[in-house]
Amino acid sequence: MDRISIAKLQKNTVTIHPDIISLFDIYVNHIRPSMGSHNIEMEQNRVFFRPTLFIKEKTVWSMVNNFELYYFLKSFKIDQKTARKDASIGSISEDQLVFGIPFYELIDIIGRYKKSLDIKLIYSCLNEILTTSINQDLFSKNTFPITTFCQLININEQTYHRRPSESV
């Protein structure tokens, strides 16, 4: 793993890898807005301790994980102190990309903030994204049942069904 400052990373063309853009959309649209400023600050601090994987192609770096780092890089509100901080990065090839890396990172975030999230909406979004092939790779199943989701985020199914949902 290499270390690179946020300022240097911002100078590169950094994108989200196309295979995981849907996971990033869930993070940006359904998780981050519900986290609250204290939890967002905690996630921003995790950026510097969580290794970030990139697929480097010519002049474009496609980010594979670390959703908050990408959000951070595209923010115009980074102070000088933060811009000088180093993030841990690694490079992988397109062939080494495994959907499980960003998926389980997102599940970890959901598990941390599940009390403030619309978990029914998030489950619905994840269920739409996960193809039979991805489900086979991740769980050795053809589908992504609610019971599996509940186990992953460490709640029981009754809790899931009792939770209100804004959009489902």
Side-chain angles (χ1 to χ4, degrees):
M1 290 283 160
D2 296 323
R3 308 256 333 140
I4 187 170
S5 72
I6 298 298
K8 285 183 182 177
L9 258 179
Q10 282 184 310
K11 291 178 183 175
N12 292 306
T13 303
V14 177
T15 64
I16 295 291
H17 191 276
D19 290 355
I20 66 149
I21 194 87
S22 53
L23 295 176
F24 181 74
D25 286 342
I26 291 172
Y27 178 74
V28 169
N29 296 312
H30 304 299
I31 297 173
R32 199 171 195 281
S34 300
M35 286 173 39
S37 59
H38 175 71
N39 292 334
I40 288 173
E41 191 175 313
M42 287 175 45
E43 282 303 308
Q44 288 174 341
N45 288 331
R46 283 186 177 90
V47 160
F48 303 105
F49 301 105
R50 179 184 300 137
T52 303
L53 298 175
F54 290 93
I55 297 173
K56 297 178 183 177
E57 300 169 358
K58 297 179 185 171
T59 60
V60 177
W61 292 23
S62 293
M63 189 178 283
V64 174
N65 66 323
N66 209 340
F67 302 108
E68 186 62 27
L69 177 59
Y70 184 79
Y71 197 89
F72 217 35
L73 291 175
K74 300 305 176 180
S75 172
F76 297 107
K77 300 176 185 176
I78 295 180
D79 58 49
Q80 290 297 332
K81 182 180 174 187
T82 303
R84 287 192 298 270
K85 286 185 177 182
D86 286 343
S88 179
I89 64 166
S91 181
I92 62 172
S93 69
E94 185 81 32
D95 296 338
Q96 293 173 303
L97 176 63
V98 178
F99 190 82
I101 295 168
F103 175 79
Y104 284 112
E105 180 178 310
L106 188 66
I107 289 294
D108 184 50
I109 294 168
I110 295 165
R112 265 197 305 279
Y113 306 111
K114 61 190 168 218
K115 290 182 180 177
S116 62
L117 300 176
D118 186 342
I119 58 174
K120 287 182 177 178
L121 175 62
I122 293 169
Y123 167 76
S124 177
C125 292
L126 285 172
N127 201 31
E128 287 178 23
I129 293 167
L130 298 177
T131 64
T132 302
S133 172
I134 293 172
N135 280 315
Q136 277 293 325
D137 290 343
L138 294 174
F139 315 114
S140 300
K141 297 178 183 179
N142 290 334
T143 61
F144 182 53
I146 291 170
T147 54
T148 300
F149 177 68
C150 291
Q151 289 169 349
L152 289 171
I153 64 169
N154 199 26
I155 64 170
N156 62 47
E157 203 171 336
Q158 292 84 3
T159 301
Y160 172 87
H161 290 294
R162 280 194 303 253
R163 292 287 293 273
S165 180
E166 297 292 320
S167 303
V168 177

